[in-house]
Amino acid sequence: MKHCKGILAGLSLVMAMPTMAYGAAAQPAKVSLEIKGTDQTLQSVCNIGGNTYFQLRELASLMSKEMPFDVGWDASAQTILLEKGKAYSGSVPKINQITQEAVETKTPVLLSGESETFDTYRIEGYTYFKLRDLADALGFSVAWDDVANKISVTTADVSGQTPIAPGVYQDMLGHGMDVDWSKTNQGREYYTEKTAADFAAAGVDHVRIRIADEITPELLESLDKQVEDCLEYGIIPIIAYQADDFKNDPSDKNMKKVVKWWKEMAEHFEDTSYLLSFDLLIEATDELNKDSERLNDYFAEAVTEIRKTNP
């Protein structure tokens, strides 16, 4: 499977509950929602400031079988109660399908006992959340099909066999360390499977495997072993390139050299777990920080090459 985590770009979706400060026009929106391959009919969807918002209880009802979460309300604390893994059995309020006022507010949420705060809107006494916020919090993934005007919702597979939402991936990273297992020939010689096992036993959730050298068959062979061991012991592996020549001299020649490095690395790990990710540059130098356009150009070109094999 492709290794790069899923990316949500330009997608901001929300849902429904209570009323406060700044008013905005909420217009009825026509958006298709596909949950695990099945199209669902939505009654209470609206557009606020160019973003699509969903009513929380309606979404919970639609997802009760595939990705269940329950919704409750603590009136005394004015807090929404969300519980993962429990099917929603409450009612689905009907919202008038006309343009009406939405009031911006920050809604406190108790998510499986943990306190959270979300940026929301209230319409007719019901709170509307950003779908992406809920996806990150509840552990499901969201994708947008611009051609079909459709939103697809799937579960977040933490096994790495399917794409992972950015927020979910970030939460999974937990505690991590930089490691020099592949930075030098000596590091590669001393690395053993027990190294990864010991890191996992010590509670390390991810490692950033730093690399300074050019790509060689020997480097890839040792790197394959390290990535495989990390995944075996439940550690998220991140490949990080130092790119010293480019950082010290951000010329066109050196940038092309680094972009080519990532192109080859991405092709090599094309079919690896989605848990594997790439850190495109370790600590930018003063030279690069002074030239933000060059740094942005590098990221754009590197990501473009990587996406050719890791979409």
mmCIF file of all heavy atoms in Angstrom, residues 115-147:
data_model
loop_
_atom_site.group_PDB
_atom_site.id
_atom_site.type_symbol
_atom_site.label_atom_id
_atom_site.label_comp_id
_atom_site.label_asym_id
_atom_site.label_seq_id
_atom_site.Cartn_x
_atom_site.Cartn_y
_atom_site.Cartn_z
ATOM 1 N N SER A 115 -12.037 16.377 27.657
ATOM 2 C CA SER A 115 -12.575 17.691 27.325
ATOM 3 C C SER A 115 -11.996 18.209 26.015
ATOM 4 O O SER A 115 -10.769 18.184 25.803
ATOM 5 C CB SER A 115 -12.260 18.674 28.457
ATOM 6 O OG SER A 115 -12.765 19.951 28.153
ATOM 7 N N GLU A 116 -12.862 18.667 25.116
ATOM 8 C CA GLU A 116 -12.470 19.232 23.827
ATOM 9 C C GLU A 116 -13.263 20.513 23.598
ATOM 10 O O GLU A 116 -14.328 20.718 24.183
ATOM 11 C CB GLU A 116 -12.762 18.250 22.684
ATOM 12 C CG GLU A 116 -12.129 16.879 22.833
ATOM 13 C CD GLU A 116 -10.721 16.825 22.285
ATOM 14 O OE1 GLU A 116 -10.270 17.845 21.726
ATOM 15 O OE2 GLU A 116 -10.080 15.774 22.409
ATOM 16 N N THR A 117 -12.755 21.377 22.726
ATOM 17 C CA THR A 117 -13.484 22.570 22.314
ATOM 18 C C THR A 117 -13.435 22.684 20.803
ATOM 19 O O THR A 117 -12.369 22.554 20.199
ATOM 20 C CB THR A 117 -12.888 23.847 22.941
ATOM 21 O OG1 THR A 117 -12.938 23.740 24.364
ATOM 22 C CG2 THR A 117 -13.685 25.073 22.512
ATOM 23 N N PHE A 118 -14.579 22.920 20.169
ATOM 24 C CA PHE A 118 -14.662 23.015 18.720
ATOM 25 C C PHE A 118 -15.228 24.370 18.305
ATOM 26 O O PHE A 118 -16.078 24.933 19.000
ATOM 27 C CB PHE A 118 -15.577 21.912 18.161
ATOM 28 C CG PHE A 118 -15.053 20.524 18.366
ATOM 29 C CD1 PHE A 118 -15.380 19.811 19.522
ATOM 30 C CD2 PHE A 118 -14.244 19.920 17.427
ATOM 31 C CE1 PHE A 118 -14.905 18.522 19.717
ATOM 32 C CE2 PHE A 118 -13.771 18.639 17.616
ATOM 33 C CZ PHE A 118 -14.098 17.935 18.762
ATOM 34 N N ASP A 119 -14.759 24.870 17.176
ATOM 35 C CA ASP A 119 -15.354 26.063 16.572
ATOM 36 C C ASP A 119 -16.602 25.622 15.828
ATOM 37 O O ASP A 119 -16.526 24.804 14.908
ATOM 38 C CB ASP A 119 -14.374 26.724 15.602
ATOM 39 C CG ASP A 119 -13.169 27.313 16.324
ATOM 40 O OD1 ASP A 119 -13.335 27.777 17.461
ATOM 41 O OD2 ASP A 119 -12.066 27.297 15.745
ATOM 42 N N THR A 120 -17.765 26.141 16.216
ATOM 43 C CA THR A 120 -19.030 25.675 15.668
ATOM 44 C C THR A 120 -19.966 26.838 15.360
ATOM 45 O O THR A 120 -19.671 27.989 15.657
ATOM 46 C CB THR A 120 -19.732 24.735 16.663
ATOM 47 O OG1 THR A 120 -19.980 25.456 17.878
ATOM 48 C CG2 THR A 120 -18.874 23.517 16.968
ATOM 49 N N TYR A 121 -21.098 26.493 14.749
ATOM 50 C CA TYR A 121 -22.194 27.450 14.563
ATOM 51 C C TYR A 121 -23.468 26.848 15.147
ATOM 52 O O TYR A 121 -23.642 25.623 15.134
ATOM 53 C CB TYR A 121 -22.424 27.735 13.078
ATOM 54 C CG TYR A 121 -21.469 28.738 12.493
ATOM 55 C CD1 TYR A 121 -20.275 28.323 11.901
ATOM 56 C CD2 TYR A 121 -21.752 30.098 12.525
ATOM 57 C CE1 TYR A 121 -19.399 29.248 11.358
ATOM 58 C CE2 TYR A 121 -20.882 31.023 11.988
ATOM 59 C CZ TYR A 121 -19.713 30.599 11.404
ATOM 60 O OH TYR A 121 -18.838 31.517 10.868
ATOM 61 N N ARG A 122 -24.356 27.718 15.621
ATOM 62 C CA ARG A 122 -25.655 27.268 16.118
ATOM 63 C C ARG A 122 -26.756 27.762 15.189
ATOM 64 O O ARG A 122 -26.770 28.936 14.793
ATOM 65 C CB ARG A 122 -25.908 27.785 17.532
ATOM 66 C CG ARG A 122 -25.004 27.159 18.582
ATOM 67 C CD ARG A 122 -25.293 27.733 19.950
ATOM 68 N NE ARG A 122 -24.422 27.153 20.970
ATOM 69 C CZ ARG A 122 -24.444 27.522 22.241
ATOM 70 N NH1 ARG A 122 -25.285 28.457 22.646
ATOM 71 N NH2 ARG A 122 -23.636 26.963 23.119
ATOM 72 N N ILE A 123 -27.649 26.860 14.851
ATOM 73 C CA ILE A 123 -28.801 27.188 14.012
ATOM 74 C C ILE A 123 -30.036 26.586 14.663
ATOM 75 O O ILE A 123 -30.083 25.383 14.917
ATOM 76 C CB ILE A 123 -28.639 26.620 12.587
ATOM 77 C CG1 ILE A 123 -27.366 27.138 11.935
ATOM 78 C CG2 ILE A 123 -29.858 26.972 11.733
ATOM 79 C CD1 ILE A 123 -27.062 26.509 10.597
ATOM 80 N N GLU A 124 -31.008 27.433 14.960
ATOM 81 C CA GLU A 124 -32.253 26.992 15.585
ATOM 82 C C GLU A 124 -32.004 26.115 16.815
ATOM 83 O O GLU A 124 -32.677 25.121 17.063
ATOM 84 C CB GLU A 124 -33.131 26.240 14.581
ATOM 85 C CG GLU A 124 -33.674 27.125 13.467
ATOM 86 C CD GLU A 124 -34.739 26.431 12.643
ATOM 87 O OE1 GLU A 124 -34.863 25.203 12.729
ATOM 88 O OE2 GLU A 124 -35.450 27.135 11.911
ATOM 89 N N GLY A 125 -30.967 26.464 17.580
ATOM 90 C CA GLY A 125 -30.692 25.752 18.814
ATOM 91 C C GLY A 125 -29.846 24.505 18.673
ATOM 92 O O GLY A 125 -29.582 23.818 19.658
ATOM 93 N N TYR A 126 -29.376 24.203 17.460
ATOM 94 C CA TYR A 126 -28.563 23.004 17.244
ATOM 95 C C TYR A 126 -27.183 23.402 16.719
ATOM 96 O O TYR A 126 -27.045 24.333 15.927
ATOM 97 C CB TYR A 126 -29.248 22.050 16.265
ATOM 98 C CG TYR A 126 -30.559 21.532 16.804
ATOM 99 C CD1 TYR A 126 -31.768 22.084 16.397
ATOM 100 C CD2 TYR A 126 -30.587 20.506 17.747
ATOM 101 C CE1 TYR A 126 -32.972 21.631 16.917
ATOM 102 C CE2 TYR A 126 -31.786 20.049 18.270
ATOM 103 C CZ TYR A 126 -32.974 20.619 17.853
ATOM 104 O OH TYR A 126 -34.160 20.171 18.375
ATOM 105 N N THR A 127 -26.160 22.655 17.170
ATOM 106 C CA THR A 127 -24.783 23.000 16.833
ATOM 107 C C THR A 127 -24.296 22.255 15.596
ATOM 108 O O THR A 127 -24.501 21.057 15.465
ATOM 109 C CB THR A 127 -23.845 22.682 18.013
ATOM 110 O OG1 THR A 127 -24.373 23.268 19.186
ATOM 111 C CG2 THR A 127 -22.456 23.213 17.768
ATOM 112 N N TYR A 128 -23.622 22.975 14.712
ATOM 113 C CA TYR A 128 -23.052 22.410 13.495
ATOM 114 C C TYR A 128 -21.533 22.436 13.589
ATOM 115 O O TYR A 128 -20.937 23.482 13.857
ATOM 116 C CB TYR A 128 -23.517 23.219 12.279
ATOM 117 C CG TYR A 128 -24.956 22.977 11.898
ATOM 118 C CD1 TYR A 128 -25.990 23.388 12.736
ATOM 119 C CD2 TYR A 128 -25.280 22.333 10.719
ATOM 120 C CE1 TYR A 128 -27.312 23.162 12.403
ATOM 121 C CE2 TYR A 128 -26.599 22.102 10.371
ATOM 122 C CZ TYR A 128 -27.615 22.518 11.220
ATOM 123 O OH TYR A 128 -28.927 22.284 10.886
ATOM 124 N N PHE A 129 -20.925 21.281 13.349
ATOM 125 C CA PHE A 129 -19.465 21.119 13.489
ATOM 126 C C PHE A 129 -18.787 21.031 12.122
ATOM 127 O O PHE A 129 -19.409 20.630 11.146
ATOM 128 C CB PHE A 129 -19.141 19.814 14.217
ATOM 129 C CG PHE A 129 -19.395 19.829 15.687
ATOM 130 C CD1 PHE A 129 -20.681 19.798 16.178
ATOM 131 C CD2 PHE A 129 -18.341 19.837 16.579
ATOM 132 C CE1 PHE A 129 -20.926 19.787 17.526
ATOM 133 C CE2 PHE A 129 -18.570 19.825 17.941
ATOM 134 C CZ PHE A 129 -19.863 19.800 18.420
ATOM 135 N N LYS A 130 -17.513 21.338 12.091
ATOM 136 C CA LYS A 130 -16.702 21.056 10.904
ATOM 137 C C LYS A 130 -16.504 19.550 10.834
ATOM 138 O O LYS A 130 -16.089 18.931 11.803
ATOM 139 C CB LYS A 130 -15.344 21.747 10.987
ATOM 140 C CG LYS A 130 -15.413 23.256 10.939
ATOM 141 C CD LYS A 130 -14.024 23.856 11.050
ATOM 142 C CE LYS A 130 -14.110 25.367 11.025
ATOM 143 N NZ LYS A 130 -12.775 25.987 11.175
ATOM 144 N N LEU A 131 -16.775 18.978 9.691
ATOM 145 C CA LEU A 131 -16.660 17.531 9.544
ATOM 146 C C LEU A 131 -15.218 17.074 9.741
ATOM 147 O O LEU A 131 -14.954 16.022 10.312
ATOM 148 C CB LEU A 131 -17.178 17.097 8.175
ATOM 149 C CG LEU A 131 -17.232 15.591 7.933
ATOM 150 C CD1 LEU A 131 -18.091 14.896 8.964
ATOM 151 C CD2 LEU A 131 -17.729 15.286 6.536
ATOM 152 N N ARG A 132 -14.295 17.884 9.262
ATOM 153 C CA ARG A 132 -12.894 17.507 9.430
ATOM 154 C C ARG A 132 -12.517 17.445 10.913
ATOM 155 O O ARG A 132 -11.764 16.575 11.341
ATOM 156 C CB ARG A 132 -12.000 18.503 8.707
ATOM 157 C CG ARG A 132 -10.514 18.198 8.857
ATOM 158 C CD ARG A 132 -9.664 19.167 8.085
ATOM 159 N NE ARG A 132 -8.251 18.896 8.297
ATOM 160 C CZ ARG A 132 -7.280 19.577 7.724
ATOM 161 N NH1 ARG A 132 -7.555 20.545 6.896
ATOM 162 N NH2 ARG A 132 -6.024 19.280 7.968
ATOM 163 N N ASP A 133 -13.040 18.399 11.703
ATOM 164 C CA ASP A 133 -12.765 18.379 13.142
ATOM 165 C C ASP A 133 -13.275 17.090 13.778
ATOM 166 O O ASP A 133 -12.598 16.473 14.600
ATOM 167 C CB ASP A 133 -13.423 19.573 13.820
ATOM 168 C CG ASP A 133 -12.703 20.877 13.522
ATOM 169 O OD1 ASP A 133 -11.598 20.828 12.957
ATOM 170 O OD2 ASP A 133 -13.258 21.942 13.855
ATOM 171 N N LEU A 134 -14.490 16.696 13.392
ATOM 172 C CA LEU A 134 -15.069 15.476 13.944
ATOM 173 C C LEU A 134 -14.312 14.239 13.468
ATOM 174 O O LEU A 134 -14.127 13.290 14.218
ATOM 175 C CB LEU A 134 -16.540 15.368 13.560
ATOM 176 C CG LEU A 134 -17.477 16.316 14.322
ATOM 177 C CD1 LEU A 134 -18.871 16.221 13.762
ATOM 178 C CD2 LEU A 134 -17.479 15.986 15.804
ATOM 179 N N ALA A 135 -13.877 14.262 12.207
ATOM 180 C CA ALA A 135 -13.132 13.128 11.671
ATOM 181 C C ALA A 135 -11.854 12.906 12.474
ATOM 182 O O ALA A 135 -11.522 11.779 12.856
ATOM 183 C CB ALA A 135 -12.806 13.360 10.200
ATOM 184 N N ASP A 136 -11.150 13.998 12.746
ATOM 185 C CA ASP A 136 -9.909 13.882 13.517
ATOM 186 C C ASP A 136 -10.173 13.396 14.932
ATOM 187 O O ASP A 136 -9.441 12.583 15.481
ATOM 188 C CB ASP A 136 -9.187 15.231 13.564
ATOM 189 C CG ASP A 136 -8.593 15.633 12.219
ATOM 190 O OD1 ASP A 136 -8.557 14.766 11.324
ATOM 191 O OD2 ASP A 136 -8.192 16.789 12.076
ATOM 192 N N ALA A 137 -11.240 13.903 15.542
ATOM 193 C CA ALA A 137 -11.533 13.560 16.932
ATOM 194 C C ALA A 137 -12.069 12.147 17.086
ATOM 195 O O ALA A 137 -11.728 11.432 18.029
ATOM 196 C CB ALA A 137 -12.540 14.562 17.509
ATOM 197 N N LEU A 138 -12.909 11.716 16.137
ATOM 198 C CA LEU A 138 -13.584 10.424 16.260
ATOM 199 C C LEU A 138 -12.866 9.297 15.526
ATOM 200 O O LEU A 138 -13.233 8.137 15.664
ATOM 201 C CB LEU A 138 -15.023 10.540 15.755
ATOM 202 C CG LEU A 138 -15.921 11.472 16.591
ATOM 203 C CD1 LEU A 138 -17.247 11.716 15.873
ATOM 204 C CD2 LEU A 138 -16.174 10.882 17.970
ATOM 205 N N GLY A 139 -11.862 9.644 14.723
ATOM 206 C CA GLY A 139 -11.053 8.609 14.095
ATOM 207 C C GLY A 139 -11.588 8.052 12.797
ATOM 208 O O GLY A 139 -11.450 6.868 12.528
ATOM 209 N N PHE A 140 -12.212 8.913 11.971
ATOM 210 C CA PHE A 140 -12.562 8.462 10.627
ATOM 211 C C PHE A 140 -11.943 9.408 9.608
ATOM 212 O O PHE A 140 -11.457 10.480 9.954
ATOM 213 C CB PHE A 140 -14.078 8.337 10.436
ATOM 214 C CG PHE A 140 -14.881 9.583 10.679
ATOM 215 C CD1 PHE A 140 -15.058 10.532 9.685
ATOM 216 C CD2 PHE A 140 -15.492 9.811 11.905
ATOM 217 C CE1 PHE A 140 -15.807 11.670 9.897
ATOM 218 C CE2 PHE A 140 -16.254 10.955 12.132
ATOM 219 C CZ PHE A 140 -16.407 11.893 11.126
ATOM 220 N N SER A 141 -11.911 8.999 8.346
ATOM 221 C CA SER A 141 -11.265 9.770 7.301
ATOM 222 C C SER A 141 -12.300 10.359 6.358
ATOM 223 O O SER A 141 -13.346 9.759 6.113
ATOM 224 C CB SER A 141 -10.289 8.885 6.503
ATOM 225 O OG SER A 141 -9.256 8.400 7.333
ATOM 226 N N VAL A 142 -11.984 11.534 5.806
ATOM 227 C CA VAL A 142 -12.894 12.235 4.910
ATOM 228 C C VAL A 142 -12.153 12.607 3.628
ATOM 229 O O VAL A 142 -11.014 13.062 3.674
ATOM 230 C CB VAL A 142 -13.436 13.520 5.567
ATOM 231 C CG1 VAL A 142 -14.350 14.276 4.618
ATOM 232 C CG2 VAL A 142 -14.167 13.196 6.859
ATOM 233 N N ALA A 143 -12.812 12.401 2.485
ATOM 234 C CA ALA A 143 -12.247 12.781 1.193
ATOM 235 C C ALA A 143 -13.306 13.518 0.390
ATOM 236 O O ALA A 143 -14.503 13.236 0.513
ATOM 237 C CB ALA A 143 -11.765 11.548 0.434
ATOM 238 N N TRP A 144 -12.888 14.453 -0.457
ATOM 239 C CA TRP A 144 -13.807 15.273 -1.242
ATOM 240 C C TRP A 144 -13.627 14.982 -2.726
ATOM 241 O O TRP A 144 -12.508 15.027 -3.250
ATOM 242 C CB TRP A 144 -13.569 16.746 -0.950
ATOM 243 C CG TRP A 144 -14.287 17.684 -1.878
ATOM 244 C CD1 TRP A 144 -13.731 18.463 -2.845
ATOM 245 C CD2 TRP A 144 -15.697 17.944 -1.917
ATOM 246 N NE1 TRP A 144 -14.702 19.184 -3.470
ATOM 247 C CE2 TRP A 144 -15.921 18.896 -2.928
ATOM 248 C CE3 TRP A 144 -16.782 17.453 -1.181
ATOM 249 C CZ2 TRP A 144 -17.193 19.375 -3.234
ATOM 250 C CZ3 TRP A 144 -18.057 17.934 -1.491
ATOM 251 C CH2 TRP A 144 -18.249 18.877 -2.498
ATOM 252 N N ASP A 145 -14.722 14.665 -3.414
ATOM 253 C CA ASP A 145 -14.730 14.450 -4.861
ATOM 254 C C ASP A 145 -15.353 15.684 -5.493
ATOM 255 O O ASP A 145 -16.574 15.862 -5.476
ATOM 256 C CB ASP A 145 -15.546 13.197 -5.201
ATOM 257 C CG ASP A 145 -15.488 12.861 -6.692
ATOM 258 O OD1 ASP A 145 -15.205 13.771 -7.495
ATOM 259 O OD2 ASP A 145 -15.742 11.696 -7.042
ATOM 260 N N ASP A 146 -14.506 16.556 -6.048
ATOM 261 C CA ASP A 146 -14.983 17.823 -6.586
ATOM 262 C C ASP A 146 -15.867 17.625 -7.812
ATOM 263 O O ASP A 146 -16.817 18.378 -8.039
ATOM 264 C CB ASP A 146 -13.788 18.706 -6.947
ATOM 265 C CG ASP A 146 -14.196 20.127 -7.285
ATOM 266 O OD1 ASP A 146 -14.965 20.716 -6.499
ATOM 267 O OD2 ASP A 146 -13.759 20.640 -8.325
ATOM 268 N N VAL A 147 -15.566 16.612 -8.615
ATOM 269 C CA VAL A 147 -16.342 16.355 -9.831
ATOM 270 C C VAL A 147 -17.759 15.896 -9.487
ATOM 271 O O VAL A 147 -18.750 16.379 -10.037
ATOM 272 C CB VAL A 147 -15.643 15.296 -10.708
ATOM 273 C CG1 VAL A 147 -16.504 14.966 -11.925
ATOM 274 C CG2 VAL A 147 -14.274 15.798 -11.145
#
